[in-house]
Amino acid sequence: TQLLEQSPQFLSIQEGENLTVYCNSSSVFSSLQWYRQEPGEGPVLLVTVVTGGEVKKLKRLTFQFGDARKDSSLHITAAQPGDTGLYLCAGGFLRGTSYGKLTFGQGTILTVHP
Amino acid sequence: GAGVSQSPRYKVAKRGQDVALRCDPISGHVSLFWYQQALGQGPEFLTYFQNEAQLDKSGLPSDRFFAERPEGSVSTLKIQRTQQEDSAVYLCASSPRGGATLEKLFFGSGTQLSVL
């Protein structure tokens, strides 16, 4: 059973379009992180959100943490070919058996065509 | 180097062979993590060290998998009697303090293991 469900799994769009990636769970997380990974490289952290309802912006990327801290979204405005990659959400806990480690979703493969 | 270094970059093993994968974390980083990643999928947690102590090994798939970090810096992931299902990219990550929940994880580029 996947603790974190990402949707969609694949996204193929044209340059200039907007898109949203979703990350959902039945668990309440202490934190939610978003990473971007390019082929042959390790994931690179984009943002960490910790407060329910929190919104963070990183240039054309907007990240939101759900009020109940069970879900998150990543919105990209005016996508560019350089945004192409695998986008991963990862949840963390501050207590319990999952303390200390991050649990990743299965990822969203984004392709932006020029 | 400034980042997390993993070696070898690629490893081809015959089924039944033992392999050892090395991770050099960022100097001074307390926590070290190993993840396994299938093509196009998210990383799956294997094990976690804080300094030399292995705090969580719940993700290791079988007793053929063993990890160590004897001096609290370099770590080795060993897989005995490799099977085809072990084929994956093995990622190492480190963070400055304990745990990863509120910390930034710095990932290496991974070791791609292919078992024939």
Side-chain angles (χ1 to χ4, degrees):
Chain A
T1 302
Q2 192 74 32
L3 189 61
L4 278 169
E5 296 283 348
Q6 281 188 241
S7 61
Q9 192 172 352
F10 301 95
L11 200 50
S12 179
I13 61 172
Q14 293 296 126
E15 182 176 2
E17 292 183 5
N18 301 333
L19 66 110
T20 302
V21 177
Y22 299 93
C23 178
N24 296 295
S25 176
S26 57
S27 299
V28 177
F29 290 100
S30 301
S31 74
L32 202 294
Q33 298 184 357
W34 284 92
Y35 288 80
R36 177 169 167 264
Q37 185 178 20
E38 297 192 40
E41 299 296 327
V44 176
L45 179 68
L46 296 174
V47 77
T48 301
V49 285
V50 296
T51 304
E54 183 176 3
V55 176
K56 282 192 174 180
K57 292 191 176 183
L58 185 66
K59 297 183 179 178
R60 294 178 292 101
L61 279 60
T62 301
F63 304 86
Q64 186 162 7
F65 202 11
D67 291 341
R69 290 186 287 127
K70 292 183 178 181
D71 55 85
S72 180
S73 64
L74 158 60
H75 182 79
I76 300 178
T77 303
Q80 299 176 0
D83 296 327
T84 294
L86 175 66
Y87 288 81
L88 297 158
C89 64
F93 300 93
L94 284 174
R95 56 181 60 85
T97 57
S98 295
Y99 169 76
K101 67 188 180 191
L102 286 180
T103 301
F104 283 83
Q106 74 268 48
T108 296
I109 298 174
L110 170 65
T111 304
V112 182
H113 301 279
Chain B
V4 177
S5 178
Q6 292 188 245
S7 61
R9 189 76 176 85
Y10 302 94
K11 177 67 179 178
V12 178
K14 292 182 179 180
R15 191 175 57 181
Q17 187 178 355
D18 297 349
V19 298
L21 312 180
R22 176 187 171 102
C23 174
D24 279 272
I26 293 173
S27 179
H29 276 199
V30 168
S31 296
L32 186 146
F33 303 82
W34 284 99
Y35 283 85
Q36 181 190 59
Q37 186 175 28
L39 186 63
Q41 298 293 311
E44 296 274 352
F45 172 80
L46 293 177
T47 187
Y48 157 48
F49 291 87
Q50 191 165 319
N51 296 308
E52 69 278 4
Q54 190 174 22
L55 298 189
D56 188 339
K57 56 180 181 179
S58 62
L60 296 176
S62 74
D63 58 8
R64 296 186 296 104
F65 286 71
F66 172 77
E68 60 183 3
R69 195 187 185 198
E71 297 178 358
S73 55
V74 172
S75 177
T76 304
L77 176 66
K78 297 179 180 177
I79 309 173
Q80 297 177 324
R81 305 181 304 281
T82 52
Q83 305 291 318
Q84 285 186 323
E85 62 262 28
D86 300 335
S87 296
V89 174
Y90 290 85
L91 293 168
C92 175
S94 68
S95 68
R97 289 177 289 269
T101 301
L102 299 177
E103 296 291 322
K104 177 177 181 178
L105 284 192
F106 295 81
F107 280 86
S109 297
T111 293
Q112 185 171 327
L113 173 65
S114 299
V115 181
L116 306 178

